[in-house]
Amino acid sequence: MAVIFDIITATLLLTVTLYGVLLVWRNWQESRMATAYFGEEIRLLNEQIERQQQLSQVAVNTARDAWDGFRKFELRGKVLEADGICSFYFAPHDGRPLPPFYPGQYLTFSIKLPNEDKPLIRCYSLSDSPNHPDYYRVTIKREVAPRDNPDAPDGKSSTYFHRVLNPDDIIDIKAPSGHFYLNPEQQNPVVLIGGGIGITPVLSMLNTITAGGSSNREVWFFYGARDGSEIVMKDHFQQIAREHPNVRMNICLSRPRPEDQPGTDFDHQGRVSVELFKQLLPSNNFDYYICGPAPLMDSLTTDLYDWGVPKEKVHFEAFGPATVKSVRDAEADTTAAEAEKPVTIHLKRSKKDISWTNQAGSILDCAEAAGASLESGCRAGNCGACELAVVEGSVTYLSDPGAPVADGSCLACVAIPEGNLVIDA
Ligand SMILES: Cc1cc2nc3c(=O)[nH]c(=O)nc-3n(C[C@H](O)[C@H](O)[C@H](O)COP(=O)(O)OP(=O)(O)OC[C@H]3O[C@@H](n4cnc5c(N)ncnc54)[C@H](O)[C@@H]3O)c2cc1C
């Protein structure tokens, strides 16, 4: 009897144990399937949360560490990147932390040249990602006299950076600013286009996307130059192309040298063009970020609009006044800009009248052509050096100012009059 009882107990115990094991195994299987099913979503969600946290941190750090006016920086390193192009690494002289910035923004420098009473103001784009809290990097091309005017002086600021500024020298820099930037928080697919030295802001965007570890954002990168001697950081671009399958690297040389090897040194012969985009991109549905010389910006923006890309998806930055003029938005032109008859700009302090027509360019260009001397800096609406009070009348802009403008004032380098005007100059 006892034996039968033992057998029944053992059988019951075995059944319960087996049932328990079965339950545990089923739960494990279900959670494995759920993990496999939701794993990708959870990973993406985690990535988004992490990015959001990083961005909130960026905003907090920017507010905490930003500074007003100019701050002293030391040149820590100078690296030759290509013929006539150097990178400069600056660390704050006060040793305090640096605020982060948005990739695409620029620094404004105040340069004290020997034998000049006024400092020279120039803007240079940050060329690395903001993931380096101890330094800012800019990459500068030395501007030489134009081919059609070889006797003209070389570029003042770029020559100073290349020839005069040495490690440990101190220079004054304004905090990062500018509206041409990529939002690292978003995941929308982008086409980044840099022509010549215009590579710098889009390089910062590329480095930010790849350094942030985002492997999902689709990036098409186009770098246009004349030949291989003008390409900066080739190894860096090649490494990004190898390590980040989400980045499609395209180097375009318009006039490659015999030693520039297709497939190794460059991907396409010719200029960066919308024709090339049509061959390569799966659709036109991207946000486009463009910086380069005037003809490139002009043709790309026009052709992108013709291809049906909405204006709000085409973002560009000008490095100088010529570019600003050539990409001006026709819709923003005013009655005055279209008018044939001249309007009068009265310079109140100099007691001078100048005549402006739509051929005269900005108020600054027009005043200088008439022999007046106005304060100016970047000549692209970015540094704020040419801000003037408008006493009577109103202005509109050839391109949106990058620097804040006080009510009742204007940035003369990108402003044009809407009718007769009196300015405090
Ligand atoms: C937002 C922004 C970002 C920028 N980012 C970068 C960047 O990342 N990297 C970069 O390299 N640049 C950048 N620039 C351009 C930069 O600010 C300067 O404009 C550039 O370095 C030239 O300045 P410069 O003082 O050397 O030349 P300037 O002295 O202003 O001279 C400009 C050109 O005019 C020529 N010139 C001078 N005098 C005469 C004359 N009498 N007749 C005919 N020609 C003459 C010079 O030889 C030179 O080629 C940026 C500009 C802006 C607005």
Side-chain angles (χ1 to χ4, degrees), residues 4-74:
I4 293 173
F5 184 76
D6 283 350
I7 290 172
I8 291 171
T9 312
T11 312
L12 269 174
L13 267 174
L14 191 67
T15 312
V16 168
T17 313
L18 274 176
Y19 185 68
V21 169
L22 197 70
L23 263 183
V24 170
W25 185 78
R26 257 184 55 187
N27 278 348
W28 178 73
Q29 275 290 75
E30 275 174 13
S31 79
R32 239 173 54 125
M33 279 164 66
T35 311
Y37 183 75
F38 291 116
E40 185 56 14
E41 274 78 2
I42 291 169
R43 198 181 59 75
L44 287 176
L45 197 67
N46 278 338
E47 243 185 56
Q48 262 177 23
I49 293 169
E50 224 168 81
R51 257 196 314 278
Q52 203 57 51
Q53 283 169 340
Q54 280 169 1
L55 270 174
S56 319
Q57 200 52 47
V58 166
V60 170
N61 292 354
T62 306
R64 190 195 56 205
D65 301 325
W67 67 97
D68 285 332
F70 286 99
R71 178 174 173 188
K72 305 233 170 280
F73 279 72
E74 285 166 21

Side-chain angles (χ1 to χ4, degrees), residues 106 120 122-125 139-141 143-146 149 152-159 197 200-201 317-320 378 380 382:
Y106 58 83
L120 191 67
R122 289 289 184 273
C123 305
Y124 290 101
S125 301
T139 303
I140 301 181
K141 178 182 178 192
E143 297 294 346
V144 293
N149 190 356
D154 290 343
K156 283 182 180 176
S157 149
S158 54
T159 302
I197 193 59
T200 51
E317 171 146 273
F319 270 6
C378 68
N382 289 312

Side-chain angles (χ1 to χ4, degrees), residues 214-337:
S214 163
S215 53
N216 298 308
R217 195 168 193 173
E218 187 179 349
V219 181
W220 289 79
F221 194 83
F222 291 87
Y223 182 2
R226 197 177 45 179
D227 61 44
S229 73
E230 292 185 351
I231 296 288
V232 297
M233 305 177 206
K234 198 172 87 190
D235 295 347
H236 175 70
F237 288 117
Q238 286 176 342
Q239 189 182 353
I240 286 185
R242 272 196 312 274
E243 293 177 0
H244 298 269
N246 57 318
V247 178
R248 317 287 167 86
M249 192 63 68
N250 293 277
I251 295 188
C252 306
L253 297 183
S254 58
R255 272 191 277 152
R257 303 164 301 175
E259 63 263 46
D260 295 328
Q261 290 303 307
T264 313
D265 298 314
F266 67 103
D267 304 292
H268 311 282
Q269 177 160 0
R271 291 174 201 285
V272 182
S273 68
V274 173
E275 278 314 307
L276 186 61
F277 300 165
K278 286 179 184 169
Q279 288 167 32
L280 299 174
L281 305 183
S283 76
N284 66 357
N285 192 14
F286 288 84
D287 269 83
Y288 298 79
Y289 292 83
I290 314 167
C291 185
L296 178 82
M297 307 246 302
D298 232 349
S299 65
L300 284 182
T301 48
T302 310
D303 295 350
L304 283 172
Y305 301 148
D306 287 349
W307 193 24
V309 179
K311 285 199 169 168
E312 60 276 14
K313 282 180 156 275
V314 181
H315 318 267
F316 50 81
E317 171 146 273
F319 270 6
T323 323
V324 173
K325 273 181 212 160
S326 68
V327 296
R328 63 193 269 183
D329 183 350
E331 284 163 25
D333 285 358
T334 60
T335 332

Side-chain angles (χ1 to χ4, degrees), residues 26-231:
R26 257 184 55 187
N27 278 348
W28 178 73
Q29 275 290 75
E30 275 174 13
S31 79
R32 239 173 54 125
M33 279 164 66
T35 311
Y37 183 75
F38 291 116
E40 185 56 14
E41 274 78 2
I42 291 169
R43 198 181 59 75
L44 287 176
L45 197 67
N46 278 338
E47 243 185 56
Q48 262 177 23
I49 293 169
E50 224 168 81
R51 257 196 314 278
Q52 203 57 51
Q53 283 169 340
Q54 280 169 1
L55 270 174
S56 319
Q57 200 52 47
V58 166
V60 170
N61 292 354
T62 306
R64 190 195 56 205
D65 301 325
W67 67 97
D68 285 332
F70 286 99
R71 178 174 173 188
K72 305 233 170 280
F73 279 72
E74 285 166 21
L75 178 66
R76 285 286 164 78
K78 193 169 175 177
V79 176
L80 184 67
E81 305 284 9
D83 277 358
I85 302 178
C86 268
S87 284
F88 299 84
Y89 293 77
F90 292 100
H93 180 61
D94 57 20
R96 294 192 53 243
L98 285 176
F101 57 90
Y102 285 112
Q105 290 191 306
Y106 58 83
L107 298 174
T108 302
F109 291 78
S110 172
I111 305 146
K112 293 182 187 84
L113 293 179
N115 310 324
E116 301 232 359
D117 7 318
K118 280 194 212 152
L120 191 67
I121 307 290
R122 289 289 184 273
C123 305
Y124 290 101
S125 301
L126 288 141
S127 63
D128 205 351
S129 79
N131 299 29
H132 307 279
D134 47 341
Y135 68 81
Y136 286 146
R137 183 182 78 183
V138 294
T139 303
I140 301 181
K141 178 182 178 192
R142 194 168 89 81
E143 297 294 346
V144 293
R147 265 185 232 144
D148 58 357
N149 190 356
D151 296 331
D154 290 343
K156 283 182 180 176
S157 149
S158 54
T159 302
Y160 174 83
F161 274 92
H162 279 251
R163 295 274 162 88
V164 182
L165 201 66
N166 284 314
D168 295 336
D169 284 353
I170 290 188
I171 193 160
D172 293 325
I173 307 182
K174 264 192 189 175
S177 56
H179 299 310
F180 174 70
Y181 61 79
L182 175 105
N183 189 341
E185 176 192 4
Q186 291 172 348
Q187 285 296 292
N188 55 319
V190 289
V191 179
L192 308 178
I193 307 149
I197 193 59
I199 195 69
T200 51
V202 290
L203 168 60
S204 171
M205 295 176 188
L206 178 71
N207 283 1
T208 307
I209 292 174
T210 53
S214 163
S215 53
N216 298 308
R217 195 168 193 173
E218 187 179 349
V219 181
W220 289 79
F221 194 83
F222 291 87
Y223 182 2
R226 197 177 45 179
D227 61 44
S229 73
E230 292 185 351
I231 296 288

